[in-house]
Amino acid sequence: MFLAVLYIALTIVVYAAMRQLYKKYPLPFLVPIATCTFIIILLLMGSGTDYAEYMKGGIWIDGLLGPAVVALAYPLYESRRILKKYALTIVASVFAGSIIGIGSGTLLAGLFHVDKELILSLAPKSVTNPIAMDIADMMGGIPALAAIYVVIAGVSGAMFGPSLLHLFGIHHSVAKGIGLGAASHGTGTARALELGELEGAISSISMTLCAIFTAIICPLLAPFILNML
């Protein structure tokens, strides 16, 4: 029990410290979710603590994910008029984003002759972990590897997503929310909430729609692309 409390406290302290660092130096590489994860990994490796041992405390933090997702209903309700106004745009954009997310990863990996099993694990990278793992398993991929790709997509989106949006002149709150939610699922949504309440609300809708579209499209599109190569 003591170790569980210690790991909870360690995670909170490291995250709080990285958040303060990011506030002082708001650079993409210093996004708290990335730096905190990196430091926790180094601490676990340095102390010889395995992941299962750490999760005795980490599971309590992980359990807060559900209530956090439910809490997104409030900004959605507050933004309901804008959601209705841009409903068609949101659905069409997320649908297109889902196809691009699946197709780009599958096509590029196929062109570089990556093993088929790895490609099928990569294809559902832009949706939340449980869904991505189920899709990968359904297609003959490796669920555990799919989870790693999901984490990479989420963290990289949180780190570089806002900068890329700015670089390409995308400043509309709805567009930013769609992009972060469709490309980087829950992690992107957390980053979108830092940009504004509307961005977070749109991103949560985008994340949900992307999961639905990907679950339907991915088992059809990814094998089709592989067969064409």
Side-chain angles (χ1 to χ4, degrees):
M1 184 63 182
F2 171 76
L3 286 177
V5 175
L6 177 64
Y7 293 139
I8 293 172
L10 173 66
T11 304
I12 293 173
V13 168
V14 172
Y15 182 82
M18 292 303 100
R19 188 173 175 83
Q20 290 301 314
L21 179 65
Y22 181 68
K23 285 182 178 180
K24 189 172 182 179
Y25 304 104
L27 302 172
F29 288 102
L30 295 180
V31 170
I33 192 168
T35 52
C36 178
T37 302
F38 181 70
I39 290 174
I40 292 293
I41 291 173
L42 289 180
L43 290 174
L44 294 181
M45 291 177 63
S47 63
T49 304
D50 61 34
Y51 181 71
E53 181 69 21
Y54 167 75
M55 281 304 292
K56 289 180 180 179
I59 195 170
W60 293 97
I61 297 176
D62 185 61
L64 296 174
L65 179 61
V69 172
V70 173
L72 290 172
Y74 178 73
L76 282 176
Y77 177 76
E78 290 291 301
S79 306
R80 61 191 182 281
R81 291 186 179 85
I82 295 177
L83 290 173
K84 290 179 181 178
K85 180 180 178 180
Y86 292 102
L88 182 59
T89 300
I90 293 170
V91 172
S93 299
V94 175
F95 182 75
S98 300
I99 293 176
I100 293 170
I102 297 166
S104 60
T106 304
L107 182 60
L108 287 171
L111 290 174
F112 282 98
H113 306 291
V114 176
D115 184 78
K116 181 179 179 180
E117 196 174 31
L118 300 183
I119 296 175
L120 294 176
S121 305
L122 170 67
K125 67 185 182 307
S126 294
V127 297
T128 190
N129 250 327
I131 298 174
M133 293 172 72
D134 283 344
I135 295 172
D137 187 45
M138 184 192 312
M139 295 191 300
I142 306 170
L145 190 57
I148 294 173
Y149 288 138
V150 168
V151 172
I152 293 172
V155 173
S156 60
M159 290 173 66
F160 304 112
S163 298
L164 288 172
L165 290 170
H166 180 75
L167 178 65
F168 287 100
I170 300 172
H171 304 296
H172 198 287
S173 297
V174 174
K176 289 191 286 187
I178 291 172
L180 288 169
S184 302
H185 49 85
T187 309
T189 298
R191 187 73 174 92
L193 282 167
E194 295 181 8
L195 303 179
E197 188 173 286
L198 178 58
E199 286 88 340
I202 299 297
S203 183
S204 65
I205 284 288
S206 177
M207 172 183 70
T208 304
L209 289 174
C210 188
I212 295 170
F213 291 146
T214 300
I216 297 170
I217 299 169
C218 194
L220 302 173
L221 182 60
F224 174 76
I225 294 174
L226 288 177
N227 290 333
M228 293 292 289
L229 295 173

